[in-house]
Amino acid sequence: MDPHLVQDIAQLPDVMSMVHKHAAAVLEDVAERDVLPTRAMPEAQPLTESGIGLRAALDDFATRWEPCLSASSGPRYWGFVTGGVTPAALAGDWLTATWDQNAFSLLDAAGHHLEQEAVNWLRELFGIGPAHQGMFVSGATMSNMVGLAIAREWLGQRLGIRPADDGAAALGPVRVLSGNAHSSVSKALSVLGLGRKALIQVATIPGREAVDPRALEQALQETSGPCIVVANAGTVNTGDFDDIRAIAALRDRYDFWLHVDAAFGAFAVLSPEHAHLADGLELADSICIDLHKWLNVPYDSAVQFTRHRDLQTRVFHNAAAYLGPLGADADPLHSVPENSRRLRALAAWFTLRAYGRAGHSEIVQRCIACAHRLADGLGSIPELQLIAPVHLNVVCFTLTEDPTADRVNALARRLHHQVFLTPTVLAGTPALRAAFSNWRTTDTDVDTVLEAIADTVHDLT
Ligand SMILES: *Cc1c(COP(=O)(O)O)cnc(C)c1O
């Protein structure tokens, strides 16, 4: 055995507690450090022939790399839609690696059963009935991809072919209708062989990112044969919602698969005032919900639901004698793109067990309140204006005068000590978004950022 390995195993409790102390210190400081450090990246070093042991490796990481990492698990990283990691979720993630279970097969031990307990809790949380099967995947992109892969098989079933066996080309041209599909939907269509051009953008309600149901009906009328509709529950720019129930009702007259991308919007159900936004979620054929955003578990975690298990296993069936038969309760490896996979449900399991529905509802409601507090505060800074109402947890705003991409980006860059905001373009106007989904964020953070913005925006050239 390598001498460094021998040493690390001999001192295991000590080196583990060293890493634990280090992690605790990082977390103590995460709210104070620069949200996006501005220092130059360290130079990449070549691999050395002999190692240096865990202690020295931690030193090297702490010296060269850690100062360049963002405070993305902290309270003022409002870019993209980014959750942090609750203490219980962190414990779950550590134990995932500690146990290193391969949660892919029922031939193994309890991994898959624990995963299903967590799926059932998520089902209860989001009001999704037992008709849907739920599976853990690595993120919402993968969840959208799996949902659309099953939709592809459904289209085949309608046409009497099996794309899983015959290839996507056998389907001929496919239409995927959506008002404001997330970019990952195009990516999925590319991967699935349906092609990015299959995505047809349907008109949205004027001034909104939500699809216009009449325009959708028109597009369905113009479609011959079955198609796919992607409804959006929480758009990234403005957190807007399609009327899922109205869209689902169109299935009485038109033949389509309904996929709902509710990556972060599903969490609206945890706020009594906002629950109606996600109404009808369970009517979907497939549902995407991200967990490393608003559930505040570490990357990478999302859940994927579908009511069509048979089609799912047709797509993902991984036949091999040594993996056992495809039973009534299909192994995870027959339902998702991965075969071997970590027990990623454990972080979600821990945070749901530790804080329950009440704890996670409080996080969601506090995040929404913070979004409104930011929006209200921005209203008293004359150099800035909101360019969309706050539907949920996203605030989209820009400069009142001359909102060029250069000026908007410059503002974001100057705020990097205090906050990370991501630039976007809304209806042609460069803008900034603040998305609230971190469990640590409070009013005080919002006030700190408002002060920084007010100070910075004055002398923006
Ligand atoms: C974040 C997001 C995705 C993609 O999620 P990843 O976790 O980055 O893969 C898809 N759809 C929506 C609406 C999102 O907000």
Side-chain angles (χ1 to χ4, degrees):
M1 205 186 266
D2 179 87
H4 294 295
L5 260 181
V6 171
Q7 194 178 18
D8 283 349
I9 190 77
Q11 303 177 354
L12 196 61
D14 282 352
V15 286
M16 283 296 117
S17 89
M18 170 189 74
V19 176
H20 162 249
K21 279 206 192 93
H22 181 84
V26 167
L27 292 176
E28 286 257 310
D29 184 46
V30 74
E32 263 58 65
R33 63 182 292 156
D34 284 355
V35 179
L36 214 67
T38 44
R39 61 169 70 207
M41 294 298 147
E43 249 180 69
Q45 303 287 334
L47 176 66
T48 53
E49 181 53 33
S50 65
I52 55 177
L54 174 51
R55 260 174 219 284
L58 179 62
D59 276 348
D60 188 34
F61 170 65
T63 315
R64 289 200 306 126
W65 286 106
E66 268 190 333
C68 298
L69 297 180
S70 68
S72 62
S73 65
R76 291 188 310 282
Y77 188 97
W78 300 345
F80 316 112
V81 182
T82 308
V85 183
T86 63
L90 179 59
D93 202 63
W94 280 348
L95 291 169
T96 303
T98 305
W99 283 98
D100 195 23
Q101 304 282 291
N102 188 349
F104 77 132
S105 165
L106 291 166
L107 298 176
D108 194 283
H112 177 54
H113 300 279
L114 181 146
E115 190 168 303
Q116 284 307 302
E117 183 168 79
V119 164
N120 287 339
W121 293 350
L122 291 166
R123 216 197 290 284
E124 280 178 46
L125 201 65
F126 297 115
I128 296 168
H132 280 84
Q133 162 170 269
M135 283 288 160
F136 274 83
V137 290
S138 60
T141 298
M142 204 43 99
S143 179
N144 278 333
M145 203 194 79
V146 171
L148 293 168
I150 308 166
R152 185 184 65 181
E153 209 57 26
W154 174 85
L155 287 175
Q157 193 180 44
R158 282 292 197 262
L159 303 172
I161 53 173
R162 287 178 171 244
D165 298 325
D166 303 327
L171 287 172
V174 165
R175 278 165 70 93
V176 181
L177 309 176
S178 190
N180 220 310
H182 186 266
S183 47
S184 58
V185 168
S186 293
K187 183 174 178 168
L189 295 175
S190 160
V191 173
L192 293 169
L194 299 175
R196 296 179 198 269
K197 286 183 183 164
L199 183 62
I200 292 159
Q201 209 202 315
V202 180
T204 53
I205 298 168
R208 298 263 311 269
E209 287 191 302
V211 76
D212 179 344
R214 274 168 310 189
L216 180 60
E217 176 152 19
Q218 178 82 36
L220 286 165
Q221 269 165 11
E222 290 161 8
T223 303
S224 63
C227 68
I228 301 170
V229 171
V230 175
N232 303 293
T235 56
V236 281
N237 274 338
T238 67
D240 207 347
F241 284 73
D242 290 350
D243 184 339
I244 304 169
R245 202 167 275 282
I247 295 173
L250 291 169
R251 279 188 304 199
D252 292 347
R253 275 166 290 148
Y254 306 95
D255 197 22
F256 62 90
W257 175 280
L258 178 57
H259 174 78
V260 180
D261 180 354
F264 64 92
F267 288 81
V269 303
L270 296 181
S271 163
E273 256 179 85
H274 301 86
H276 66 277
L277 294 170
D279 183 43
L281 194 59
E282 76 287 356
L283 300 173
D285 295 292
S286 52
I287 305 167
C288 156
I289 303 176
D290 225 339
L291 302 179
H292 54 219
K293 289 176 179 166
W294 226 346
L295 193 67
N296 282 271
V297 298
Y299 296 112
D300 30 18
S301 187
V303 65
Q304 173 281 317
F305 287 103
T306 185
R307 290 197 273 138
H308 303 259
R309 301 166 197 218
D310 50 333
L311 296 176
Q312 181 159 14
T313 42
R314 210 190 272 178
V315 177
F316 295 103
H317 186 198
N318 187 85
Y322 78 101
L323 294 171
L326 181 61
D329 186 10
D331 288 350
L333 85 160
H334 299 304
S335 295
V336 291
E338 303 94 340
N339 283 347
S340 294
R341 59 210 267 279
R342 73 204 308 257
L343 181 55
R344 67 164 57 86
L346 195 52
W349 186 96
F350 258 90
T351 199
L352 289 170
R353 190 79 186 97
Y355 312 119
R357 178 194 293 275
H360 281 279
S361 297
E362 191 279 330
I363 294 171
V364 165
Q365 291 178 49
R366 178 156 39 84
C367 285
I368 296 171
C370 283
H372 285 280
R373 189 179 183 90
L374 179 71
D376 290 349
L378 291 173
S380 52
I381 303 176
E383 291 90 345
L384 297 170
Q385 57 174 333
L386 292 185
I387 50 172
V390 177
H391 298 286
L392 191 66
N393 60 334
V394 182
V395 183
C396 193
F397 63 99
T398 193
L399 294 161
T400 314
E401 274 176 37
D402 198 18
T404 60
D406 280 352
R407 275 166 48 83
V408 165
N409 293 351
L411 176 60
R413 263 198 314 277
R414 287 197 199 180
L415 293 167
H416 280 170
H417 290 302
Q418 292 91 356
V419 68
F420 179 55
L421 304 167
T422 35
T424 189
V425 177
L426 185 70
T429 305
L432 293 174
R433 316 161 44 256
F436 291 84
S437 35
N438 188 292
W439 67 282
R440 287 173 176 257
T441 311
T442 65
D443 286 356
T444 314
D445 295 299
V446 175
D447 296 347
T448 303
V449 171
L450 278 168
E451 217 173 284
I453 291 178
D455 287 349
T456 309
V457 78
H458 287 314
D459 52 32
L460 201 64
T461 50

